Amino acid sequence: MTEQPTILTGIRANSELTLGNFLGALIPMVRLANTHSNNYHINIFTPDLHSIISDIDGELQQNIIKSLKNYLAAGLNLTENVHFYRQSHVPAHSELCWILNCVTSMGDLNRMTQYKDKSDGKDSVNVGIFDYPVLMAADILLYDAEYVPVGEDQFQHLELTRRVAEKFNKQYVDIFTLPVEPKKQVEFMQVGEAIRIRDLQNPEKKMSKSTKSENSKIMLTDTPEQVKKKIMSATTDSVGKISFDMFNQPGISNLLQIDALVNDMPLQDVISTWSGETHYGDLKQKVAEDVAAFLGEFQRKLATISDDEVLTLLQKGEIYANEVANAKLLEVQKAFHLR
Ligand code: TYM
């Protein structure tokens, strides 16, 4: 069943998605799926167990359906090889997570930046936040996924997955396929640079759903007016000349990267067009128009997709996912003499 290799990704559905989620993971997945689904399995799942590490608002079910609709609206072509499923509907994820907990070191998890960020300044932190990357490793290793299109903020978790799999393969039985290292993932995605869409107001940071300031993030539901207002007020720098330099000019570089991604153009071409220009306002204007057009097209398609379409895909996908995941889990259980 898994003779073909797998490309896999997941996006938490806690709320509406940002342009960062969309450009960092969803669009790359759709493009890879549309070009590779003849010879790869394409696994698109909702990590709903990952969602509950933080407060959820009672709309999780609806948000899961909405978040999966986004792939269809973004142009995903459905073939026999495209599989949609929910993590909590495939119990092997939780069981493999527990087993991998017994292989993973506390030291490794302590080093995870996301854990440090999410626990910073809090008196009490739930164990789920700490263990989050191990569940993510289980999500990937159950399906022998080679490619995992994710934004740059998830690369550390991908490296951890590789380390845990390698340790397991050496200590027990060689059964896990290691996902390809992040640098090669970026090459495979053909996006030029690892994708980290920045906060528009504070471009040192990534654009995040949880940021309070509305002007910092573009949501997929934003109107053209909102997009324009947010991009025109984006923080830039005092250098006065456009160049792609994430270190010294993160705000400008962010806009160049966004423009390349929404136009499906090589980043280098966008950089060549704008390098040396001095009117930041012109660049902002162009990016605002391009993002508004891109989102407008997307929102029009989204309105035509029904909940039933997604539910039918989930029913079929979850049969496939359980078969593949249970077969892999059984191999792992045998390695531990649990079966
Ligand atoms: P999550 O839900 O936080 O984010 C979903 C995806 O969006 C990407 N992303 C970004 N990319 C570029 N710029 C940004 N500003 C930006 N913000 C978010 C993330 O990198 C991610 O790819 N742990 C994952 C979910 C997950 C998963 C998995 C992914 C669970 N298991 C297995 C792949 C494979 C997460 O929290 O993503």
Side-chain angles (χ1 to χ4, degrees):
M1 187 168 239
T2 51
E3 324 77 62
Q4 285 182 332
T6 295
I7 306 175
L8 171 150
T9 203
I11 297 183
R12 278 177 304 148
N14 294 52
S15 62
E16 291 293 346
L17 304 187
T18 67
L19 191 66
N21 297 128
F22 204 59
L23 299 182
L26 199 140
I27 290 285
M29 184 56 159
V30 169
R31 289 185 181 146
L32 287 178
N34 289 351
T35 45
H36 291 78
S37 81
N38 283 341
N39 32 23
Y40 281 85
H41 284 286
I42 306 294
N43 288 19
I44 294 177
F45 78 104
T46 304
D48 49 357
L49 295 170
H50 277 112
S51 288
I52 61 172
I53 56 157
S54 48
D55 291 341
I56 45 146
D57 56 10
E59 303 208 336
L60 186 58
Q61 282 306 314
Q62 199 44 42
N63 284 338
I64 290 171
I65 305 294
K66 264 205 232 161
S67 99
L68 291 171
K69 276 186 187 175
N70 289 329
Y71 289 92
L72 303 176
L76 176 73
N77 298 329
L78 291 174
T79 69
E80 271 304 295
N81 273 350
V82 173
H83 315 286
F84 275 25
Y85 53 94
R86 290 159 286 193
Q87 186 186 43
S88 73
H89 285 58
V90 187
H93 289 241
S94 323
E95 178 151 357
L96 183 61
C97 173
W98 178 259
I99 296 177
L100 295 180
N101 277 335
C102 305
V103 180
T104 309
S105 75
M106 295 277 286
D108 259 343
L109 293 186
N110 263 322
R111 276 192 289 280
M112 295 294 117
T113 314
Q114 185 170 303
Y115 165 65
K116 287 190 206 156
D117 290 348
K118 286 196 190 293
S119 57
D120 192 28
K122 298 215 172 103
D123 293 338
S124 157
V125 177
N126 71 54
V127 177
I129 293 181
F130 186 65
D131 203 29
Y132 183 105
V134 184
L135 179 57
M136 179 161 164
D139 299 336
I140 297 169
L141 298 176
L142 276 174
Y143 303 90
D144 287 322
E146 285 179 25
Y147 291 102
V148 184
V150 284
E152 194 241 17
D153 61 308
Q154 297 296 316
F155 283 3
Q156 204 185 19
H157 295 162
L158 215 50
E159 291 285 18
L160 178 88
T161 302
R162 286 168 52 82
R163 265 200 308 286
V164 171
E166 209 165 21
K167 193 166 163 197
F168 182 97
N169 285 349
K170 277 207 188 109
Q171 268 180 14
Y172 301 96
V173 191
D174 191 353
I175 48 178
F176 289 130
T177 301
L178 267 57
V180 166
E181 63 184 90
K183 197 168 140 263
K184 296 216 171 104
Q185 302 267 357
V186 173
E187 283 166 19
F188 186 67
M189 289 199 269
Q190 298 188 327
V191 286
E193 279 266 321
I195 306 177
R196 183 183 186 83
I197 303 300
R198 311 296 179 114
D199 180 303
L200 294 175
Q201 293 299 314
N202 184 359
E204 254 68 87
K205 293 188 351 199
K206 74 163 181 172
M207 184 183 287
S208 165
K209 298 174 208 162
S210 50
T211 308
K212 295 241 158 45
S213 148
E214 288 305 319
N215 280 341
S216 288
K217 54 191 177 185
I218 294 180
M219 307 307 290
L220 300 189
T221 45
D222 279 354
T223 61
E225 292 70 36
Q226 286 171 311
V227 168
K228 187 160 182 217
K229 181 171 159 267
K230 291 175 184 183
I231 292 185
M232 294 313 287
S233 66
T235 302
T236 50
D237 55 68
S238 53
V239 175
K241 213 183 227 184
I242 296 176
S243 68
F244 188 82
D245 177 349
M246 276 296 182
F247 191 69
N248 294 307
Q249 296 185 268
I252 285 292
S253 305
N254 191 34
L255 295 178
L256 292 170
Q257 191 174 44
I258 290 174
D259 208 48
L261 290 165
V262 296
N263 287 307
D264 196 12
M265 275 173 71
L267 175 59
Q268 210 43 55
D269 290 2
V270 176
I271 296 174
S272 309
T273 306
W274 288 96
S275 273
E277 295 288 335
T278 51
H279 292 111
Y280 287 3
D282 293 350
L283 174 64
K284 286 181 169 180
Q285 186 79 35
K286 168 81 166 58
V287 178
E289 278 164 19
D290 290 351
V291 172
F294 177 79
L295 285 185
E297 172 71 9
F298 164 75
Q299 289 161 0
R300 269 188 296 283
K301 285 206 199 127
L302 190 65
T304 66
I305 299 161
S306 71
D307 288 9
D308 281 351
E309 207 170 320
V310 173
L311 287 167
T312 307
L313 286 169
L314 284 171
Q315 264 166 14
K316 197 167 131 271
E318 283 162 7
I319 293 173
Y320 167 84
N322 273 297
E323 259 173 47
V324 176
N326 287 339
K328 178 61 82 178
L329 180 63
L330 183 61
E331 287 183 68
V332 178
Q333 289 165 328
K334 284 182 178 163
F336 277 92
H337 305 286
L338 294 163
R339 295 289 184 279

